Amino acid sequence: MEIVRAHSMGFCFGVRDAIEIVRELGESGTPVFTLGAIVHNPQIAEQLEKVHVHVVEGLDDVPPGSLVAITAHGAPPDLEGRALARGLKVIDTTCPLVTRIQKTAADLVAQRYSVLVYGDPEHKEVQGIVAWSGGKAKVISSMGDLENWEPTRRVALISQSTSNIEKFVSLARDLVAAMVTRGVEVRVINTICKPTKERQRAVRELAREVDVVVAVGGRASANTRKLVQAAQEEGVPAYQVERLGDLQASWFAGAGRVGITAGASTPDSVIGQVEERIRSFEVGQPVMA
Ligand code: SF4
């Protein structure tokens, strides 16, 4: 069985930089409280916890006077002020590409566009983008979400940074078709980030060359789910693996070539462990969870 890695996969610069900032602070003796997971990867979260980088749900959970970190996914524009008002210190690790989407949403609202955001309404990045639009942007996942929706004369479509590019393009086409017939101006801005585009393109190329694809990444990782989806759209079985115990030998029965990709928050060490475990299925080595 041959194992082939996607030519682009794993850590993106936004996640890597955010981790390094909080890790250095924690290791230097400054406890850091991150507002939500700094990274959707349990192995990294466990390592960070050991160096005093703790995940909290909100400002209420942060001890007075402590350092709170905004994650790479960003936060609403008023969050820093609310934290400072409570006597907390703030470090902002928002990815610059997320900052760009937030500013785009705010600018479009200022230019009187009705703003649509293609993404997951439950995702922190999307909630932050909506907050930067002053709560005016509408989150959609398909044209079905626009039933009974009355656009203004100008509509703009943007996206969560990690969306599936093919689905975004398809939605944009349908939106333009629906709005043009109503005399509405439509502006489409592709805000899917470059690392996401590169990884999605790479997993599609990989999927065409292998019998099965494994995408390594946390269950909460939106971009890892999109990699699985993209591989499946190419017609090959694809599975998401968070931990070694998720791997099943039956996935690889009869497979000549296995493709591996990884989400933007997956460290190389975990990818290496998964590769090694897949090889162990081939030679029938005992499996340890
Ligand atoms: S996935 Fe893209 S937007 Fe998100 S942190 Fe990485 S580089 Fe930034």
Side-chain angles (χ1 to χ4, degrees), residues 54-165:
H54 313 287
V55 178
V56 291
E57 290 300 314
L59 296 177
D60 289 346
D61 305 322
V62 184
S66 301
L67 178 61
V68 68
I70 295 170
T71 67
H73 307 108
D78 65 342
L79 188 130
E80 185 164 349
R82 284 191 279 126
L84 295 173
R86 298 170 76 106
L88 303 173
K89 288 167 271 185
V90 180
I91 180 145
D92 187 355
T93 72
T94 304
C95 172
L97 301 185
V98 173
T99 302
R100 194 186 295 169
I101 306 175
Q102 294 168 338
K103 291 201 164 127
T104 300
D107 289 348
L108 288 166
V109 167
Q111 293 165 39
R112 299 187 179 280
Y113 280 91
S114 294
V115 178
L116 300 173
V117 184
Y118 175 56
D120 174 0
E122 302 299 320
H123 197 282
K124 263 185 70 185
E125 177 193 323
V126 173
Q127 292 170 346
I129 293 165
V130 171
W132 276 85
S133 77
K136 292 185 174 146
K138 178 177 174 62
V139 183
I140 62 168
S141 57
S142 71
M143 288 297 287
D145 295 331
L146 296 180
E147 277 176 26
N148 304 321
W149 174 73
E150 278 306 317
T152 55
R153 286 173 45 219
R154 311 172 88 191
V155 173
L157 175 67
I158 59 175
S159 174
Q160 182 176 350
S161 63
T162 51
S163 290
N164 178 308
I165 180 96

Side-chain angles (χ1 to χ4, degrees), residues 4-25:
V4 188
R5 290 189 178 204
H7 63 73
S8 175
M9 64 179 200
F11 266 3
C12 63
F13 75 92
V15 167
R16 189 193 56 227
D17 290 355
I19 292 171
E20 283 317 305
I21 290 168
V22 296
R23 193 200 302 274
E24 273 177 27
L25 283 163

